[in-house]
């Protein structure tokens, strides 16, 4: 069992969501958070650890872990962090596109083709806008991994990613995504 909290910060519209993994499924800890469950693939802690392993990074041991634990600070190379952020955003956009196209096909009839064409137009416009904003963007990602010294198993994985970009009005923006995953009851 593990829990994860998703906390975009730095802007008034931030939110918090808590999920728990039970029997192979992510379960929202409140009904209001259930629509966010589909976006959780980006927050899969095992996938994050596997991807961190393949990226250029700086790892330092931090103080304060106590006798039984060790805390590692893992800072990703900014280019690798940006590439991975783009990969994750593209995957989320593709999943949303697939979901909406599936809903459009369920409508059927004459309106289905028109709706699918409009969705495709909106999709292409959104993808183009995202690519233009992310091209000059900078991404900084830092993880803190707490490891049990005795078993070498992870106990906690927290991260903060900051993306600085200019929107389509040339306004500078910074967004932060903070995640905190606690591992427990290994089976």
């Amino acid at each position: 069992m593990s829990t994860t909290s998703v906390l975009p910060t730095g802007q008034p519209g931030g939110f918090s969501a808590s999920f728990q993994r039970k029997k192979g499924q992510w379960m929202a800890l409140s009904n209001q958070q259930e629509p966010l469950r589909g976006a959780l693939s980006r927050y899969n802690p095992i996938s994050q650890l596997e991807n961190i392993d393949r990226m250029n990074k700086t790892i330092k041991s931090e103080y304060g872990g106590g006798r039984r634990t060790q805390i590692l600070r893992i800072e990703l190379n900014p280019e690798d962090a940006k590439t991975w952020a783009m990969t994750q955003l593209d995957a989320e956009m593709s999943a949303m596109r697939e979901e909406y196209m599936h809903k459009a096909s369920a409508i059927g009839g004459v309106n289905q083709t028109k709706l699918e064409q409009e969705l495709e137009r909106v999709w292409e416009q959104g993808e183009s806008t995202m690519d233009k904003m992310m091209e000059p963007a900078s991404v900084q990602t830092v993880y803190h991994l707490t490891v049990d010294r005795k078993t070498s198993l992870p106990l906690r994985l927290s991260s903060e990613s900051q993306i600085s970009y200019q929107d389509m009005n040339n306004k500078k923006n910074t967004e932060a995504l903070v995640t905190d995953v606690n591992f427990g009851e290994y089976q």
Side-chain angles (χ1 to χ4, degrees):
M1 172 174 58
S2 65
T3 59
T4 184
S5 297
V6 182
L7 304 166
T9 59
Q11 294 197 0
F15 66 91
S16 173
S18 294
F19 297 84
Q20 187 170 39
R21 188 146 173 97
K22 290 182 180 177
K23 298 180 183 176
Q25 298 291 322
W26 285 103
M27 307 300 252
L29 295 181
S30 87
N31 289 339
Q32 297 164 330
Q33 299 162 348
E34 190 59 30
L36 299 171
R37 188 168 53 114
L40 283 178
S41 61
R42 181 186 345 185
Y43 311 113
N44 178 337
I46 303 304
S47 176
Q48 287 182 16
L49 289 170
E50 289 171 348
N51 279 293
I52 289 168
D53 186 46
R54 290 189 284 269
M55 288 188 250
N56 292 318
K57 62 208 156 282
T58 303
I59 301 175
K60 295 179 182 174
S61 184
E62 290 196 336
Y63 294 105
R67 246 191 259 166
R68 293 185 189 161
T69 62
Q70 179 177 14
I71 299 174
L72 301 175
R73 183 183 192 280
I74 306 166
E75 185 170 353
L76 300 182
N77 170 288
E79 281 303 311
D80 283 0
K82 181 177 175 178
T83 300
W84 193 27
M86 282 298 300
T87 299
Q88 293 170 342
L89 289 170
D90 285 340
E92 285 182 26
M93 291 276 293
S94 293
M96 285 190 299
R97 177 181 184 223
E98 188 176 310
E99 181 181 337
Y100 283 107
M101 286 300 199
H102 177 71
K103 288 180 180 180
S105 68
I107 291 174
V110 178
N111 291 335
Q112 176 185 348
T113 303
K114 187 176 180 179
L115 181 58
E116 286 175 347
Q117 289 172 346
E118 181 64 17
L119 284 170
E120 188 66 33
R121 185 190 66 75
V122 169
W123 161 260
E124 288 174 3
Q125 181 182 9
E127 187 175 42
S128 173
T129 300
M130 183 179 73
D131 288 344
K132 285 178 186 173
M133 287 191 305
M134 287 300 291
E135 181 69 31
S138 65
V139 180
Q140 294 176 316
T141 302
V142 176
Y143 287 90
H144 287 91
L145 176 63
T146 304
V147 178
D148 184 313
R149 287 183 191 263
K150 186 175 180 180
T151 64
S152 296
L153 291 171
L155 298 174
R156 182 177 182 190
L157 178 66
S158 60
S159 71
E160 181 174 349
S161 291
Q162 288 193 358
I163 300 177
S164 299
Y165 64 94
Q166 284 187 337
D167 62 21
M168 298 312 288
N169 297 322
N170 288 326
K171 180 183 173 194
K172 291 189 178 197
N173 294 289
T174 299
E175 293 185 15
L177 174 65
V178 177
T179 64
D180 191 17
V181 177
N182 292 294
F183 298 90
E185 297 183 32
Y186 287 97
Q187 297 177 4

